Amino acid sequence: MNYDNFQVEIDGRVAVVTIDNPKALNAMSQPMMEDFGRIMTELAGATDVGAIILTGSGEKAFMAGGDIAGMQPLGAFEARAVALKSQDIYRQIEGCATPVICAINGYVLGGGCELAMCCDIRIASEHARFGQPEIKIGIIPGFGGTQRLARLVGLGAARKMIYTGEMIDAAEALRIGLTDIVVPAAELMSEARKLAASIAEKSSVAIGLAKQAINNGYSMDLNRACAYEAEQFGLCFASYDQKEGMLAFLEKRPAKFEHR
Ligand code: CO8
């Protein structure tokens, strides 16, 4: 895969996608967002990829949001179309069977924070700074931020971030649940790779079913969600990996998953 503003590297069953727009702190323009969608579609469909890490180039930013220069002249209908298109790409990341880990190496703002919230697990460096600063430029979050932030950290903390536009540091993000892990900057990628490798070596079939059970069940009431979980649990037993995983346990040897 060859794109101007992204690097894609595959190491074993782990893919690393690096947003690379250093002159604007990895802010994403609309053409970049479209490329990003293509990359994620391709990786999500690759059976030899068991986990994806998203990160940003350099040490200063994961992604400082949408490209403000490109957005400034938009009219209302164009802005709505941009938001809907990007929301589709973000939803696709959230819904794809492959787990996505966001390795946050600095500023994670606006559309960047909204992207991070679509990922399965967020791991941040100690110097990461989180924010939804849209209010400061006269707009509101448009890539799912008003919805996912409130669901993730609760209404009060979400309102505070969205109404003030102020950034919070990694420790505060950990406290409110906006990141799951915080590590020193020098250890960010090695920790993200360790986590991704640990996921990617498991059965992709079971991981995909677990992701669906968690994500789809989250918006259901508990009874319906548990019934849905039972369906996903049952489906595991249609896989080669379930037979192999249980047989390997009984034979006291490591399982050799084939992700089918
Ligand atoms: N867009 C375009 N350029 C940017 C952006 C951005 N989001 N962020 C930074 N840059 C550029 C700066 O303009 C600057 O360029 P230049 O060197 O040419 O002047 C360069 O990156 C470096 O930035 P700074 O000099 O500002 O670096 P500082 O260390 O002083 O400050 C900050 C870093 C605090 C991150 C600061 O750059 C900043 O506040 N950036 C803007 C952050 C922001 O507001 N993000 C939200 C954008 S809006 C968004 O994401 C909403 C998407 C949903 C829209 C849906 C409807 C269309």
Side-chain angles (χ1 to χ4, degrees):
M1 282 184 242
N2 204 1
Y3 292 93
D4 287 346
N5 293 112
F6 297 92
Q7 291 143 23
V8 182
E9 169 217 325
I10 298 183
D11 181 11
R13 288 181 47 74
V14 175
V16 181
V17 179
T18 305
I19 308 166
D20 187 16
N21 184 20
K23 60 180 191 315
L25 300 179
N26 300 326
M28 267 210 227
S29 63
Q30 275 314 299
M32 273 179 73
M33 184 61 79
E34 282 165 30
D35 281 349
F36 181 59
R38 285 184 201 102
I39 292 168
M40 295 307 289
T41 302
E42 197 167 327
L43 290 176
T47 50
D48 53 349
V49 171
I52 302 168
I53 299 173
L54 294 184
T55 193
S57 71
E59 286 167 8
K60 215 171 153 185
F62 167 70
M63 175 180 160
D67 172 34
I68 297 172
M71 258 185 289
Q72 195 275 339
L74 296 184
F77 291 100
E78 290 168 305
R80 183 177 65 177
V82 165
L84 288 173
K85 196 166 200 176
S86 303
Q87 285 180 10
D88 271 352
I89 294 168
Y90 281 20
R91 226 183 339 256
Q92 180 203 327
I93 293 166
E94 192 173 45
C96 79
T98 312
V100 183
I101 294 168
C102 192
I104 302 165
N105 55 308
Y107 289 116
V108 55
L109 304 175
C113 193
E114 292 167 307
L115 173 56
M117 287 190 284
C118 292
C119 297
D120 291 85
I121 301 172
R122 284 160 291 286
I123 174 167
S125 78
E126 282 169 346
H127 75 288
R129 306 258 287 155
F130 297 70
Q132 295 289 163
E134 289 89 342
I135 209 77
K136 293 185 173 177
I137 53 172
I139 61 169
I140 68 168
F143 293 4
T146 59
Q147 303 311 306
R148 289 195 181 87
L149 189 60
R151 284 165 173 74
L152 199 56
V153 304
L155 285 170
R159 287 182 179 130
K160 185 163 171 254
M161 284 181 72
I162 291 170
Y163 296 172
T164 67
E166 297 305 334
M167 292 185 224
I168 60 169
D169 64 17
E172 177 66 357
L174 184 65
R175 192 187 70 79
I176 66 173
L178 187 47
T179 187
D180 305 296
I181 305 164
V182 177
V183 294
E187 293 165 26
L188 178 66
M189 286 314 289
S190 59
E191 287 299 318
R193 282 175 198 275
K194 233 187 275 174
L195 181 60
S198 161
I199 293 168
E201 73 179 19
K202 307 300 187 307
S203 163
S204 284
V205 179
I207 294 277
L209 289 168
K211 180 165 173 172
Q212 280 179 346
I214 294 169
N215 285 6
N216 298 338
Y218 198 72
S219 56
M220 299 176 190
D221 67 63
L222 189 60
N223 285 343
R224 278 186 62 221
C226 286
Y228 178 64
E229 180 193 68
E231 298 297 322
Q232 303 299 94
F233 175 76
L235 272 181
C236 295
F237 289 73
S239 71
Y240 168 88
D241 287 346
Q242 174 269 327
K243 298 288 174 268
E244 162 60 12
M246 291 192 176
L247 186 64
F249 175 81
L250 296 173
E251 293 177 354
K252 302 190 185 307
R253 60 172 175 81
K256 286 194 197 111
F257 292 124
E258 295 193 4
H259 314 292
R260 61 184 175 91

